[in-house]
């Protein structure tokens, strides 16, 4: 049986060999490019139909279909402080603006958190004459802390 890490490596390799985009794979799976990418990189659980659709377009073995349906160990980066420059910028963003996010969310909604479970994201390119920008819109359900 292949490990989940081996499935992720195979997905990335097959995507490159087949010259597929994450968007094209997502269309075959029937979900957003953001969710599908997260699932194929080991952060979400696919249904059997989704896993089989991914396997068809990527020519994955049955072991991969099974692994794509297993609940993953989420948030598993290789180091506690990310070393990849792009991922590190998100870490830096949270270090700089995390208290601002918290203060503004708490002021607007009360004492609670933004769900990463009931969550959606849209990533797009924003044209700018000074250099294109990355636009990421995140939307998570507000979950208030309860008293008991």
């Amino acid at each position: 049986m292949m490990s989940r890490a081996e499935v992720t490596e195979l997905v990335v390799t097959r995507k490159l060999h087949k010259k597929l985009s994450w968007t094209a794979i997502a269309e075959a799976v029937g979900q957003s490019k953001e969710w599908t990418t997260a699932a194929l990189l080991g952060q979400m659980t696919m249904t059997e139909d989704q896993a089989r659709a991914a396997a068809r377009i990527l020519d994955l073995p049955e072991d991969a279909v099974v692994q794509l349906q297993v609940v993953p160990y989420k948030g598993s980066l290789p180091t506690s402080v990310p070393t990849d420059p792009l991922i590190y910028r998100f870490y830096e963003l949270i270090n700089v603006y995390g208290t601002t996010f918290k203060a503004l969310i708490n002021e607007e909604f009360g004492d609670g958190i933004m769900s990463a479970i009931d969550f959606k994201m849209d990533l797009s390119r924003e044209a700018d004459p000074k250099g294109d920008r990355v636009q990421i819109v995140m939307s998570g359900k507000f979950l208030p802390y309860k008293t008991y």
Side-chain angles (χ1 to χ4, degrees):
M1 174 68 96
M2 297 176 75
S3 71
R4 187 59 188 89
E6 290 169 329
V7 170
T8 299
E9 189 174 320
L10 182 60
V11 163
V12 171
T13 301
R14 295 278 168 87
K15 176 188 172 293
L16 291 170
H17 283 287
K18 292 176 167 288
K19 296 179 173 51
L20 292 168
S21 66
W22 291 115
T23 300
I25 299 167
E27 288 170 0
V29 170
Q31 297 296 319
S32 72
K33 70 180 183 291
E34 296 82 5
W35 185 89
T36 301
T37 304
L40 291 173
L41 293 178
Q43 297 300 310
M44 299 292 163
T45 308
M46 291 184 138
T47 65
E48 182 177 359
D49 288 345
Q50 292 164 341
R52 291 205 179 282
R56 276 191 297 277
I57 193 167
L58 292 166
D59 193 27
L60 300 174
E62 187 63 25
D63 278 2
V65 172
V66 172
Q67 282 289 3
L68 290 169
Q69 296 174 73
V70 174
V71 176
Y73 187 81
K74 292 178 171 59
S76 52
L77 291 175
T79 59
S80 58
V81 176
T83 57
D84 177 85
L86 191 140
I87 296 172
Y88 179 80
R89 292 302 171 257
F90 284 96
Y91 176 80
E92 179 181 46
L93 186 141
I94 294 302
N95 276 315
V96 173
Y97 292 104
T99 54
T100 303
F101 293 152
K102 179 177 175 36
L104 293 173
I105 288 169
N106 291 159
E107 181 176 274
E108 179 73 23
F109 293 92
D111 188 14
I113 63 169
M114 182 178 87
S115 176
I117 296 169
D118 191 342
F119 178 84
K120 60 184 176 180
M121 172 178 54
D122 181 59
L123 186 144
S124 60
R125 178 185 294 255
E126 182 181 329
D128 188 300
K130 295 178 184 172
D132 287 358
R133 303 178 67 81
V134 177
Q135 182 178 38
I136 301 172
V137 177
M138 297 184 288
S139 175
K141 180 179 181 181
F142 179 73
L143 301 172
Y145 285 103
K146 298 189 186 251
T147 56
Y148 52 94

